[in-house]
Amino acid sequence: MKRIHLISNPRNLSTALMYSFAQRQDCRVVDEPLYAYYLKLRPDVDHPGKEEIMNSMSSDLQQVIDEVFLKDYDRPVVFLKDMAHHLIEMPLDFMLSMTNLFLIRNPRQLIASIGKVMKQPAMEDIGSQQQYELYHWLKEQGQNPVVLDSGELLKDHESVMQKLCTTLDISFDPHMLTWEAGARPEDGVWAKYWYHNVHQTTGFSKQESSSRTLPEHLIPLYKEARPYYESLFQNAIKA
């Protein structure tokens, strides 16, 4: 079984990528299985629908690992969508049984976008440092993680998706390039708060946040995040 573990920033194309993989007949997708675990560890974080999320899924780490990440699925490919900032305070050995895929985004665009919903986001909210550290930890364990940049994906989504599938050692399926607008049954209960824009799409498309101006008070965070992004971008699939 091919287990593809997506490790993304927030405010990226992660949900669109999940919808893309959901078009494959040989694939099951799972939406953010560690969300409740993260909220349990971070009671200070005020996310919409927090109680509903906690009630909809397990926050027990070992249970999630056993029953979601390491579960035997009924299809040969499983796509597990995760957020880098959810992967905290845990043993990481379970990641070694999967193909780890990092979805990165230019932090100028990322921070400008997240700044619309958080007044003062910190590094732990945007995931850039966590992605960098996880990538290098996996390299130290002998893995060769895959890096996908959302900007490169939007330049030529067909070519980049073909290259991605080749790198993941799965066949390319042209159905991955489009999907029907609207919600999907795999969406987490948080979709009504976060997925409005992606529910309007039928394929990979440029986000409105790509052209937002970075607020001056968030420039220090951008300068802090940029080296982590640039290091990972060197290894990213190019259009």
Side-chain angles (χ1 to χ4, degrees):
M1 176 175 290
K2 172 70 70 172
R3 302 177 194 271
I4 301 166
H5 180 217
L6 182 72
I7 305 169
S8 178
N9 307 101
R11 315 300 286 185
N12 205 340
L13 290 175
S14 59
T15 305
L17 195 61
M18 181 179 76
Y19 287 2
S20 171
F21 273 83
Q23 306 314 303
R24 299 178 61 100
Q25 293 297 310
D26 64 352
C27 184
R28 292 290 184 194
V29 301
V30 182
D31 194 9
E32 299 186 33
L34 290 169
Y35 201 164
Y37 169 77
Y38 166 74
L39 292 174
K40 181 177 72 172
L41 291 186
R42 292 287 307 276
D44 56 308
V45 172
D46 184 22
H47 279 211
K50 184 173 181 177
E51 184 176 349
E52 185 180 5
I53 295 168
M54 296 292 289
N55 291 332
S56 73
M57 61 197 307
S58 175
S59 62
D60 181 271
L61 176 61
Q62 193 58 54
Q63 183 179 1
V64 175
I65 290 174
D66 292 340
E67 298 182 6
V68 180
F69 285 100
L70 303 182
K71 172 184 174 180
D72 287 328
Y73 288 83
D74 61 348
R75 296 187 184 178
V77 179
V78 58
F79 182 90
L80 299 138
K81 172 197 164 195
D82 241 334
M83 295 290 110
H85 61 287
H86 291 176
L87 291 157
I88 55 174
E89 299 182 31
M90 65 175 68
L92 299 173
D93 290 354
F94 74 96
M95 293 174 60
L96 299 177
S97 64
M98 299 180 284
T99 299
N100 293 284
L101 167 61
F102 289 83
L103 179 63
I104 62 174
R105 187 184 185 193
N106 187 312
R108 179 177 291 276
Q109 300 167 344
L110 167 62
I111 295 167
S113 177
I114 205 168
K116 290 292 183 179
V117 294
M118 298 181 72
K119 292 182 179 179
Q120 192 64 56
M123 182 62 72
E124 63 185 12
D125 299 308
I126 66 172
S128 297
Q129 181 177 355
Q130 181 75 342
Q131 285 181 315
Y132 174 88
E133 292 176 352
L134 287 170
Y135 177 87
H136 285 282
W137 180 82
L138 287 164
K139 292 286 284 186
E140 290 171 1
Q141 308 308 308
Q143 277 219 353
N144 191 25
V146 183
V147 182
L148 178 66
D149 178 72
S150 59
E152 293 296 304
L153 177 59
L154 292 175
K155 285 181 184 178
D156 187 343
H157 57 272
E158 182 170 1
S159 172
V160 170
M161 288 301 293
Q162 288 176 338
K163 292 175 182 178
L164 174 62
C165 289
T166 297
T167 305
L168 293 173
D169 196 26
I170 59 175
S171 62
F172 171 69
D173 184 341
H175 292 98
M176 299 175 76
L177 302 178
T178 58
W179 50 85
E180 292 186 5
R184 286 199 56 86
E186 298 91 353
D187 286 348
V189 297
W190 51 88
K192 58 192 171 194
Y193 304 109
W194 298 102
Y195 293 178
H196 174 74
N197 288 339
V198 74
H199 285 168
Q200 312 308 309
T201 68
T202 57
F204 294 107
S205 58
K206 190 174 182 180
Q207 299 163 296
E208 180 185 342
S209 58
S210 296
S211 57
R212 286 179 180 150
T213 301
L214 182 66
E216 187 172 349
H217 73 283
L218 294 179
I219 291 176
L221 178 60
Y222 164 66
K223 290 181 176 179
E224 183 184 0
R226 186 173 62 186
Y228 297 123
Y229 166 77
E230 290 177 346
S231 176
L232 291 178
F233 182 75
Q234 293 177 17
N235 302 294
I237 295 169
K238 303 301 191 298

